[in-house]
Amino acid sequence: EVQLVESGGGLVQPGGSLRLSCAASGFTFSNYWMQWVRQAPGRGLVWVSRIISDGSSTNYADSVRGRFTISRDNAKNTLYLQMNGLGAEDTAVYYCVRGESTFDFWGQGTLVTVSS
Amino acid sequence: DIQMTQSPSSLSASVGDRVTITCRASQTINTYLNWYQQKPGEAPNLLIYTAFSLQSGVPSRFSGSGSGTDFTLTISSLRPEDFATYYCQQSYTLPFTFGPGTKVAIK
């Protein structure tokens, strides 16, 4: 069974940093592109970032480029999202998602709240 | 960026009703269009990919159609477990973008 389990969310002050993790199991993690998608409270889905299966290429939404860094450790079956310079607009549930452009499996999400 | 719109934004329907949701892209995306269902407090779930392909395990009452800029998700006979919010997403080009969602509520 495919499982994606996010962790690392929480309350952070404006300008602060946070690193999200996503532990993958039930499939060959190193064969798949992975992504982060976020959803602000009561709002819709917004694509954040993606990384190729071997980690050699990444893409970002304009709203996070230069502040967020996606990475992965295929030996640990884990996806990461390093978030720096956080602002109130980054408050959201962050979902770890499998797929290159179609999101076929989603984690349960981890909530990031940016507030003083 | 490709803008995605959906109509209606919400609808009320009864169990057994046929429901149709429309999604429109701001430019042609061929058939690079996916549909997701999201229930309150849960993660989204892939229903339809590349416009009309049913994801494994999804009931056959769900179907998709369309190409170019106009797409449709149809639920042939609404079940109680189908009350949720539905999102379309274009997978044609980065940044991937979603529609604003259509909430299907109980009449």
Side-chain angles (χ1 to χ4, degrees):
Chain A
E1 177 192 7
V2 172
Q3 284 201 319
L4 299 169
V5 180
E6 302 94 336
S7 60
L11 177 63
V12 61
Q13 292 190 338
S17 298
L18 215 53
R19 188 175 86 153
L20 306 182
S21 299
C22 170
S25 61
F27 65 102
T28 304
F29 181 71
S30 58
N31 287 351
Y32 287 85
W33 293 66
M34 296 295 295
Q35 321 240 2
W36 290 96
V37 173
R38 69 184 180 183
Q39 186 171 35
R43 305 295 296 275
L45 301 165
V46 177
W47 174 77
V48 173
S49 180
R50 78 170 180 176
I51 186 167
I52 198 172
S53 55
D54 66 1
S56 63
S57 178
T58 58
N59 305 102
Y60 297 93
D62 286 347
S63 58
V64 307
R65 186 176 293 113
R67 300 187 299 123
F68 290 12
T69 302
I70 190 171
S71 62
R72 63 192 297 161
D73 185 336
N74 285 345
K76 295 182 177 180
N77 292 339
T78 303
L79 176 72
Y80 302 101
L81 186 67
Q82 176 67 43
M83 305 185 295
N84 299 329
L86 286 162
E89 69 278 7
D90 298 312
T91 293
V93 173
Y94 284 74
Y95 293 104
C96 167
V97 185
R98 190 181 82 167
E100 180 176 354
S101 58
T102 296
F103 310 136
D104 66 350
F105 283 97
W106 298 60
Q108 85 288 349
T110 187
L111 176 62
V112 172
T113 303
V114 184
S115 175
S116 55
Chain B
D1 298 2
I2 297 177
Q3 307 303 315
M4 307 299 294
T5 57
Q6 288 181 233
S7 61
S9 57
S10 64
L11 63 90
S12 296
S14 301
V15 172
D17 284 353
R18 181 181 182 88
V19 169
T20 299
I21 299 169
T22 297
C23 174
R24 176 166 288 176
S26 61
Q27 64 186 73
T28 183
I29 57 172
N30 295 328
T31 57
Y32 292 96
L33 190 284
N34 307 312
W35 290 97
Y36 302 87
Q37 176 194 65
Q38 185 178 34
K39 298 178 182 179
E42 297 184 7
N45 181 50
L46 177 65
L47 297 176
I48 302 285
Y49 60 96
T50 55
F52 53 82
S53 297
L54 194 66
Q55 173 70 349
S56 176
V58 174
S60 59
R61 63 181 179 275
F62 291 93
S63 63
S65 64
S67 66
T69 60
D70 295 315
F71 303 87
T72 298
L73 173 70
T74 299
I75 309 172
S76 60
S77 180
L78 202 64
R79 296 283 301 267
E81 59 266 33
D82 300 336
F83 292 98
T85 300
Y86 294 83
Y87 294 94
C88 62
Q89 175 242 335
Q90 64 83 13
S91 55
Y92 181 73
T93 189
L94 292 172
F96 302 127
T97 47
F98 294 85
T102 295
K103 183 175 182 179
V104 176
I106 301 173
K107 181 181 287 184

